[in-house]
Amino acid sequence: MKKTTLSKKFVAIFAFALVGIFALVLGVVQLVANVTTQQYVNDNVMSRQAAMGESIKRLLEEAINGYTRMMSSEHLADFATALRDGDARQQFCEVIADASLDSRYVNVALHTDGRWFAYKTDFDLPTDSFAQSIEDGNRLIYADTHLLRDGYLLIGRRMQNSVNALSGAVVFYLDCGELNALLATTDSKLGYTFLSDSDYTLLARSDGTHVGETVLEQRLFSLREGVQNRRINGQRCIVASHVITDQYELGWSVVSVLYYNVLQHDLIIFSLVLAGIALAVLAFVIVFAVAVARHTAKPVDQLSQYITEVDVNNNAPHDFLIGNGDELQLLKDTYDQMILRLKDLIEQNNENMNVQRKLEIDRLQMQINPHFLYNTLDAIAWMAKIKKQPEIEKLVIDLARFFRLSLHKGDKFVSVADEVDLIYYFMEIQKARFPNSLELVCDVDPALNDCITLKLILQPIVENSIKHGFLGKDGVGTVTVKVREENGDVLFYVSDDGVGFDVPQDLWTKNSDGIGGYGLRNVNERIQLEYGEGYGLSVASQKGVGTCVTVRIKKRNV
């Protein structure tokens, strides 16, 4: 067995010291960069989003003003008369001409008395269902997206004119290119900005792409006010969201996605230069350490040579005087005893290696089997899709995602976000089993999403709520998962509004046969083995009210 020489030890000491200083400097630089980036987002991006929101509101107000001018047109009475007599398109066009609409609204259509009238006839008409929703509603304006792929966003307004006995719906065609232009103030190299409704449909985007499509990875984007760090398509990004609040109640949000590496380009260049300097200094330190090692005491060199020559299997320890027989000789004798002990343990070590090889084979087999399971579930999902069975397709996809998160390549830990997602897919599967009976509410502090936790510590608790908490309960059972930080720890609160129970005093003993006692005890033991006695589960329950299980773990970042 080759031992580390003294010169290598000197090299390691100096190298580790230098690396530690270098890492500290990089950490300070990264901290300053993060603060600067956050300040840039708050001072520039969020303010621009607010300005975009105001521009969009003014654009919507122009539709309201256009409607008002239409109702004030001197030709409106002629239109009402012609409408009762037959063809009234010419009078309708005169009304639109009087309204002097903003050029960003490229067409107007009116639905009344079961008929459509269009200012320009080469446009597709809105749907009757959209007109009906406008006429039956009580909001100021409505929006429809079915012509977005043609480049138009439809803005509807209920028409009610008692003077001329007119009622129906007026629909304005807004050019999506104008909306794209409003969002195009963000440098395309930094990222992109899009306008979304509450259903995650892209109404506009700064680069003009994907308009009319639905955001697939909806969990990556929050339509609530604020800034979040997300990884999108493998790239670290900053996602800033601004909710457009107005009297129209459309639920629109402006979302900006900024590329982290572009924002911190100068920092990356500086870090590379710093790394080059560190490598040069490290090379000098290695040369210096080797020179110092060569001048160390001769007895130390003798002991090092002796340790190098002695082999457990071949060269047995032998009598050899080191220096003057002082502490180094005692160290040599102790080393000889260790070698003899190691020789006695060699057979046991070989047996352990054989067992380890078998475990490696079993672990490899466990990795192979999930791939077969994933492929099988994918095949079932495709068959369900082909057979037009969306419920089965969704159930299989949820099951596949549940397995991927729960197996997680055999890892012991997962992120808090993945652990909560695992509960989401587990509940989706249970909803298929118990339709209209279950509901899940998640409330996670965004700052804790990237923290790591033991895997599968929440699923047994949620399963207990379903199996025992909602047994005999009428109506929908709700499971609530909250994640908070307290005194440097991460706390998971899993509560239900089930029937509740009397918590036994021996819940955590092996003799306990309480409700879900084995599953809770297993989770509690896993947490205490990993984090210590101060962590684990606590249960509070009241009959007729429900149960709350609190899980406390130590906060750890990735």
Side-chain angles (χ1 to χ4, degrees), residues 38 41-42 45-46 49 220-230 238-243 253-258 446:
Q38 185 65 39
V41 172
N42 292 335
V45 178
M46 297 299 289
Q49 285 183 334
L220 296 177
F221 302 98
S222 173
L223 299 184
R224 294 178 295 179
E225 192 85 17
V227 179
Q228 296 177 317
N229 290 320
R230 288 287 185 266
I238 296 177
V239 180
S241 301
H242 170 69
V243 179
S253 297
V254 178
V255 181
S256 295
V257 179
L258 306 175

Side-chain angles (χ1 to χ4, degrees), residues 66-67 69-80 88-101 110 119 166:
Y67 166 80
R69 291 192 294 269
M70 286 175 59
M71 295 299 103
S72 302
S73 171
E74 61 182 11
H75 294 97
L76 188 62
D78 297 337
F79 170 73
R89 186 178 181 279
Q90 179 180 352
Q91 290 76 10
F92 172 70
C93 292
E94 292 174 349
V95 171
I96 300 304
D98 291 343
S100 300
L101 291 178
L110 184 144
Y119 183 63
L166 290 174

Side-chain angles (χ1 to χ4, degrees), residues 100 147 167 170 395 433 454:
S100 300
L147 291 183
S167 63
V170 179
L395 179 61
R433 183 182 176 191
L454 278 175

Side-chain angles (χ1 to χ4, degrees), residues 125-160:
L125 290 174
T127 61
D128 291 340
S129 59
F130 180 49
Q132 191 64 46
S133 64
I134 297 173
E135 295 170 9
D136 294 342
N138 56 8
R139 294 215 314 259
L140 195 56
I141 60 173
Y142 294 79
D144 185 66
T145 61
H146 92 278
L147 291 183
L148 274 178
R149 295 183 183 274
D150 295 332
Y152 309 108
L153 177 62
L154 301 182
I155 306 298
R157 174 74 164 87
R158 181 183 179 187
M159 182 180 68
Q160 192 72 36

Side-chain angles (χ1 to χ4, degrees), residues 334-443:
T334 304
Y335 178 76
D336 289 345
Q337 295 175 8
M338 181 187 69
I339 291 297
L340 294 175
R341 175 60 178 164
L342 289 175
K343 197 170 185 178
D344 293 338
L345 295 174
I346 194 68
E347 292 183 359
Q348 180 180 353
N349 182 62
N350 289 335
E351 293 178 0
N352 292 338
M353 291 178 65
N354 291 333
V355 172
Q356 184 177 1
R357 282 194 294 270
K358 182 178 182 303
L359 291 176
E360 288 291 331
I361 294 174
D362 293 341
R363 186 176 67 84
L364 179 61
Q365 184 64 38
M366 291 177 64
Q367 292 178 350
I368 295 174
N369 289 338
H371 286 294
F372 172 75
L373 176 61
Y374 300 153
N375 294 335
T376 303
L377 290 175
D378 286 341
I380 295 174
W382 272 106
M383 291 178 65
K385 187 177 185 67
I386 293 172
K387 297 292 185 180
K388 296 182 178 180
Q389 296 291 332
E391 294 84 358
I392 298 177
E393 179 188 1
K394 182 180 184 304
L395 179 61
V396 173
I397 291 175
D398 289 338
L399 180 60
R401 291 173 175 170
F402 175 82
F403 278 132
R404 287 183 189 276
L405 289 173
S406 60
L407 297 174
H408 204 264
K409 302 179 182 179
D411 292 340
K412 184 178 180 182
F413 299 95
V414 296
S415 67
V416 170
D418 285 345
E419 181 70 6
V420 175
D421 284 347
L422 190 146
I423 296 303
Y424 169 78
Y425 294 120
F426 175 75
M427 285 292 289
E428 290 298 305
I429 296 171
Q430 296 300 318
K431 287 179 182 179
R433 183 182 176 191
F434 305 106
N436 303 320
S437 299
L438 300 174
E439 188 66 37
L440 174 66
V441 177
C442 294
D443 182 9

Side-chain angles (χ1 to χ4, degrees), residues 15-81:
F16 279 129
L18 183 64
V19 170
I21 296 174
F22 178 63
L24 179 62
V25 173
L26 281 183
V28 173
V29 172
Q30 186 64 45
L31 178 61
V32 173
N34 290 337
V35 173
T36 304
T37 300
Q38 185 65 39
Q39 190 67 33
Y40 171 81
V41 172
N42 292 335
D43 293 345
N44 295 276
V45 178
M46 297 299 289
S47 61
R48 285 204 299 267
Q49 285 183 334
M52 293 174 188
E54 292 300 320
S55 298
I56 292 171
K57 285 194 285 186
R58 286 194 295 270
L59 192 57
L60 296 176
E61 289 171 359
E62 178 57 31
I64 299 298
N65 296 334
Y67 166 80
T68 302
R69 291 192 294 269
M70 286 175 59
M71 295 299 103
S72 302
S73 171
E74 61 182 11
H75 294 97
L76 188 62
D78 297 337
F79 170 73
T81 301

Side-chain angles (χ1 to χ4, degrees), residues 36 62 120 131 134 146 155 192 201 253 262 268 308 316 319-320 347 375 379 388 396 399 449 485 490 524 541:
T36 304
E62 178 57 31
K120 297 179 182 179
I134 297 173
H146 92 278
I155 306 298
Y192 57 90
T201 300
S253 297
V262 178
I268 295 174
T308 304
D319 292 336
F320 182 77
E347 292 183 359
N375 294 335
K388 296 182 178 180
V396 173
L399 180 60
N449 278 331
E485 180 179 357
V490 177
N524 190 58
S541 183

